[in-house]
Amino acid sequence: MNIGEIARRAGVSRSTVSYSLTGKRPVSEETRRRIQAVIDELGYRPNASARALKEGRTRTLGLVIPPARQRLTDMQLGFVASVVEAAARADFDVLLSPSGGDHERSFERIVTGRRVDGVILMEIRLEDDRVTRLQHTGLPFVTIGRTGEAQDMWWVDVDYAALVARCVHHLADLGHRHVALVNRSAELVAAGYGPGHRALAGFTEAATQRNLTTVDVCCADDAPAGESCVEGLRDDHPEVTALVTINEAALPGIQRGLERAGLLVPRDFSVTGVAARHWAEDFRPPMTAADIPTHDMGAHAVELLLERLATPEAHPRHVLHAPPISLRNTTGPAPAR
């Protein structure tokens, strides 16, 4: 059913129906009631564009994700699902848009096309051109992650530095003296990916405090890379007895690499890090880890963005998650040499 049919049944012009729906021009109360009676009878619902004109907003949030050609990690998919769920509870739709590489036009359409009321931006770099672009346009936005200078931004993040440092101290308390950090991919770290840099900073500081010997390696986000990483550590740094990782996608490969090396966890080698809970619980044995609250983070991002929309003059708010280390079964005393 369309506006033309409503106009015909109500005995008015199409423009009068449009004015009644959008409030763009005054319509007499009698005419408005007649139009509304036809709408109620037909069960008509105005489309998103008409509603946007009437309310002055689209009731749609943009969620900018990594490039579509890259397979999203489970953690990233968790952020997407939680944002969509939280937005739906507030009666908002979510428009997904990839960014980076060949997708800059998609990002520009989100920023300048008046398609959304605000944007949630994922996978933040320490210096991020997308953040700068949004700041220049004035479009309200919230980030999952944060840049190097984020005091004046609205963001939700994980305290990777503190969590990785806790993991290092936990291993040191168990007597481990030679520890490795398995980071995200070299490409991400070189591009200034925030979690990778903050994880390394926390790892280095804690290891220095505990006088540990360390090695840090980058690892692509997949199981084969995780397996190769373990093989490399065993060949080049056989003294390492434990590792900390923030690369959850590499965990199945890390497990296979340890098994192929004949190492029993945690008797011969300890593993800990920061990961989504199901990755930690699927590791064998279940992995001691700080469990990333992806559901809470997506919900908080939506909450902050809706607050920005409701009170544009509000001061920036930050939500920094630092979940406790869940002690499971992959960390134990350093093996005797």
Side-chain angles (χ1 to χ4, degrees), residues 189-271:
V189 174
Y193 179 60
H197 283 262
R198 293 187 175 99
L200 179 58
F203 178 79
T204 302
E205 181 177 359
T208 300
Q209 292 172 356
R210 302 302 294 266
N211 196 29
L212 306 184
T213 300
T214 63
V215 58
D216 61 272
V217 295
C218 290
C219 180
D221 294 340
D222 56 54
E227 190 169 358
S228 296
C229 182
V230 171
E231 291 175 357
L233 285 174
R234 298 303 298 160
D235 290 342
D236 300 334
H237 303 279
E239 72 280 5
V240 169
T241 59
L243 67 80
V244 181
T245 185
I246 64 167
N247 194 329
E248 61 180 23
L251 284 174
I254 289 173
Q255 180 177 324
R256 287 203 303 266
L258 292 171
E259 290 171 350
R260 288 187 60 183
L263 298 174
L264 292 180
V265 177
R267 189 195 70 183
D268 305 320
F269 200 93
S270 290
V271 179

Side-chain angles (χ1 to χ4, degrees), residues 1 6 8 20 84 89 103 115 117 126 133-134 137 140 159 183 213 215 223 235 238 245 283 293 298:
M1 190 59 60
I6 294 171
R8 186 183 67 79
S20 178
V84 171
R89 288 197 299 268
H103 301 284
R115 297 181 173 192
D117 298 325
L126 296 178
R133 181 75 180 98
L134 285 166
T137 65
D159 195 347
N183 209 325
T213 300
V215 58
D235 290 342
T245 185
F283 201 86

Side-chain angles (χ1 to χ4, degrees), residues 19-187:
Y19 297 152
S20 178
L21 289 172
T22 64
K24 199 171 183 180
R25 291 187 184 179
V27 175
S28 71
E29 184 61 24
E30 179 184 350
T31 301
R32 190 196 64 77
R33 283 199 301 266
R34 191 162 71 248
I35 292 171
Q36 188 61 49
V38 174
I39 288 173
D40 294 341
E41 177 187 349
L42 298 177
Y44 172 81
R45 296 186 65 183
N47 63 28
S49 297
R51 187 171 66 176
L53 285 171
K54 183 175 183 179
E55 298 181 354
R57 61 174 56 183
T58 66
R59 298 203 68 81
T60 300
L61 307 179
L63 177 58
V64 180
I65 61 176
R69 67 177 179 275
Q70 298 179 4
R71 181 175 60 84
L72 296 183
T73 67
D74 278 26
M75 188 182 299
Q76 291 166 344
L77 289 172
F79 289 142
V80 172
S82 61
V83 166
V84 171
E85 181 181 331
R89 288 197 299 268
D91 194 29
F92 275 76
D93 296 322
V94 175
L95 177 61
L96 296 182
S97 174
S99 67
D102 300 329
H103 301 284
E104 289 308 316
R105 285 184 298 177
S106 175
F107 179 64
E108 276 300 309
R109 285 194 294 270
I110 284 283
V111 173
T112 62
R114 302 184 66 182
R115 297 181 173 192
V116 299
D117 298 325
V119 169
I120 295 173
L121 194 63
M122 291 172 47
E123 297 297 291
I124 306 301
R125 299 175 180 179
L126 296 178
E127 295 182 6
D128 201 306
D129 291 340
R130 300 168 303 168
V131 169
T132 304
R133 181 75 180 98
L134 285 166
Q135 288 173 328
H136 286 164
T137 65
L139 182 66
F141 71 97
V142 170
T143 61
I144 298 178
R146 66 195 192 276
T147 62
E149 299 293 334
Q151 296 86 348
D152 296 329
M153 293 168 50
W154 295 65
W155 51 260
V156 179
D157 202 3
V158 173
D159 195 347
Y160 279 96
L163 294 180
V164 168
R166 287 183 200 169
C167 291
V168 172
H169 287 299
H170 172 59
L171 293 171
D173 290 342
L174 291 169
H176 294 274
R177 310 305 303 164
H178 305 278
V179 180
L181 171 67
V182 177
N183 209 325
R184 298 288 296 278
S185 73
E187 293 79 10

Side-chain angles (χ1 to χ4, degrees), residues 316-330:
R317 287 216 296 126
H318 315 140
V319 179
L320 186 62
H321 289 268
I325 304 294
S326 296
L327 296 176
R328 298 188 178 97
N329 306 110
T330 56

